[in-house]
Amino acid sequence: MNKFQEISEQIKNLKTARDFLQKKYDTSEFHKKKEKFPQSAVPPAPEDEEIYKLLTAIQQLDKYIKELQDLQLKVLQQEE
């Protein structure tokens, strides 16, 4: 497997994990409160701590996906 394909597979795996976590967030009560009152500050509840961890994980996955996409672009440019 060449470098480009390896990176593509890693990106695919991270996106799958990110989609799974996003679905968990989208079905959470915290998200439903935010959707219902988007302009208001929803006070954090103790059970919302897990949601904040979930959001952090989603953001981290986005960061790693972007880094891998940048690396993938460099690999493509080197192959030209």
Side-chain angles (χ1 to χ4, degrees):
M1 183 180 291
N2 70 27
K3 187 72 173 168
F4 183 83
Q5 289 173 324
E6 284 179 30
I7 297 169
S8 294
E9 190 64 28
Q10 290 174 347
I11 291 170
K12 179 181 161 192
N13 291 338
L14 290 176
K15 284 184 175 183
T16 300
R18 186 202 180 282
D19 290 345
F20 174 78
L21 294 179
Q22 187 67 47
K23 285 179 189 172
K24 298 276 286 177
Y25 171 72
D26 289 344
T27 59
S28 70
E29 288 302 314
F30 180 84
H31 177 68
K32 291 175 186 173
K33 287 187 259 181
K34 290 297 272 184
E35 285 287 306
K36 198 170 190 178
F37 306 104
Q39 298 301 321
S40 68
V42 178
E47 61 271 10
D48 293 338
E49 183 178 345
E50 290 301 314
I51 297 302
Y52 287 118
K53 289 178 184 177
L54 188 62
L55 288 172
T56 300
I58 291 168
Q59 290 169 346
Q60 287 296 315
L61 285 170
D62 283 339
K63 176 183 170 249
Y64 294 130
I65 290 168
K66 174 75 172 97
E67 286 176 7
L68 286 171
Q69 288 171 334
D70 290 345
L71 180 60
Q72 196 175 40
L73 180 60
K74 288 178 185 176
V75 168
L76 268 179
Q77 289 171 341
Q78 290 173 354
E79 289 179 0
E80 291 180 353

